[in-house]
Amino acid sequence: QNGVMSGLMQMLLLKVSAHITEQLGMAPGGEFREAFKEASKVPFCKFHLGDRPIPVTFKRAIAALSFWQKVKLAWGLCFLSDPISKDDVEKCKQKDLLEQMMAEMIGEFPDLHRTIVSERDIYLTYMLKQAAKQIELPRASENEPRKYIPAVVVGVVGMGHVPGIEKNWNSDLKIQEIMSVPPPSASSKIFKFVLKATVFGLLGYGCYRIGHRTVQFVLSMPATQSYIQRLTEVPQH
C-alpha cells in the first residue's frame, strides 16, 4: 500500500521493535498506552494522537537517503543483535547521554535524523500548541462578551523529542512543507525496476524448472511410455 521501499523499512523497524520487546520484556510505546488508559479516567478528557502519519514520515525518510545509505541502514537493522538491559534504558534518560546518542545519529545519517526527529519535533510542537489554545466558553447571547479559559494539556512524547519541542515552542510553525511526499528519485525507480525484474525472473525460472522436471517425470512413467509407443505404432499399421 505504501510502496516497496516503505514496506521493507516498516518490516525492518518491526524487527527492531521485536528485538527490544524480547530484550526488555515490554513493547516500545508503552507510555502512549498508559496515556490512553489515564485519559479514559478523566471526565471530558479528549485523547488525541498528535504525531505525523507514519507513511508520510517513512516516505520522506526514504526519499532523503541515497541508495548506499539505504543499503547501510537496512544492513544495520537486519543484523541488530546488541543486548539491551533496563539499566541501559535508565541511562538513556540522562540528558547528556541522550544528546550524545542523538549527535551520533546526526553524524551517521543527518538526513534521516532531519526527517524522523527534527521534522517531527516541529509537527509535535505545532499539534501541542493547537491543543493548548484557550477554550471559548458558551455565550447566552451575541451581545455577551467572549470569555476564555486556559486549556489543560498533558503531552506524552518520546524523550528524544523534548529538546526539539522546547526549541520550537516560540516559533511561528508551518507544517505544509513537512507533510508533502517528494517524488521518488531516479535511484529509487531503478532499484524498484531491478527488484521487480529479479522477482519476476526468478519466478519465471522457477516455473520453467518445475515444468521441465514435471514433464520429464511424466514422460518417464511406464504408462506414459506405453501410450506414446502405441501412438507411434498407429501410423505404421
Side-chain angles (χ1 to χ4, degrees):
Q1 290 179 345
N2 298 323
V4 176
M5 289 300 298
S6 182
L8 290 173
M9 189 64 70
Q10 286 191 28
M11 289 172 64
L12 288 174
L13 290 175
L14 283 172
K15 178 182 179 295
V16 174
S17 177
H19 172 68
I20 295 171
T21 303
E22 183 183 6
Q23 292 288 315
L24 297 178
M26 55 183 170
E31 65 271 35
F32 306 119
R33 297 184 186 92
E34 284 301 316
F36 180 75
K37 290 178 185 176
E38 291 300 317
S40 64
K41 300 175 185 176
V42 181
F44 309 109
C45 179
K46 294 180 180 179
F47 181 84
H48 183 69
L49 297 172
D51 204 349
R52 185 169 64 177
I54 291 176
V56 176
T57 298
F58 274 137
K59 287 180 180 178
R60 286 186 63 85
I62 291 166
L65 295 175
S66 67
F67 175 76
W68 293 114
Q69 283 179 321
K70 291 172 188 173
V71 172
K72 185 179 179 181
L73 179 64
W75 182 267
L77 293 176
C78 280
F79 295 96
L80 180 71
S81 58
D82 295 337
I84 305 168
S85 67
K86 292 186 178 180
D87 290 336
D88 294 330
V89 176
E90 291 301 319
K91 288 177 184 177
C92 288
K93 294 178 183 179
Q94 299 173 16
K95 188 175 180 182
D96 294 341
L97 184 60
L98 180 63
E99 288 177 353
Q100 180 185 340
M101 291 169 60
M102 300 298 278
E104 289 174 1
M105 182 181 175
I106 294 171
E108 194 167 3
F109 296 103
D111 294 323
L112 192 67
H113 180 274
R114 174 175 54 80
T115 52
I116 291 184
V117 180
S118 300
E119 288 183 359
R120 286 173 59 226
D121 288 346
I122 294 171
Y123 189 91
L124 289 166
T125 308
Y126 178 85
M127 298 302 286
L128 279 169
K129 290 180 75 172
Q130 292 297 310
K133 285 184 175 180
Q134 289 186 327
I135 301 169
E136 183 179 355
L137 293 173
R139 292 184 295 168
S141 66
E142 291 292 330
N143 298 326
E144 187 179 344
R146 297 177 184 272
K147 294 181 180 178
Y148 298 88
I149 59 171
V152 178
V153 180
V154 178
V156 181
V157 298
M159 56 191 173
H161 291 290
V162 174
I165 292 173
E166 292 176 347
K167 175 185 172 184
N168 290 304
W169 189 258
N170 293 319
S171 303
D172 184 20
L173 303 173
K174 300 205 176 358
I175 61 170
Q176 289 81 5
E177 184 182 345
I178 62 172
M179 289 301 291
S180 63
V181 178
S185 62
S187 61
S188 297
K189 291 179 180 178
I190 293 170
F191 177 77
K192 190 175 181 180
F193 173 78
V194 170
L195 184 64
K196 282 185 176 180
T198 303
V199 170
F200 284 117
L202 290 172
L203 283 173
Y205 179 73
C207 291
Y208 165 75
R209 292 292 297 175
I210 292 171
H212 183 67
R213 290 186 178 182
T214 303
V215 170
Q216 284 185 329
F217 175 73
V218 172
L219 290 176
S220 65
M221 293 175 64
T224 306
Q225 290 182 351
S226 174
Y227 181 72
I228 293 172
Q229 186 177 1
R230 276 186 288 170
L231 287 176
T232 53
E233 289 176 354
V234 170
Q236 295 176 1
H237 290 304

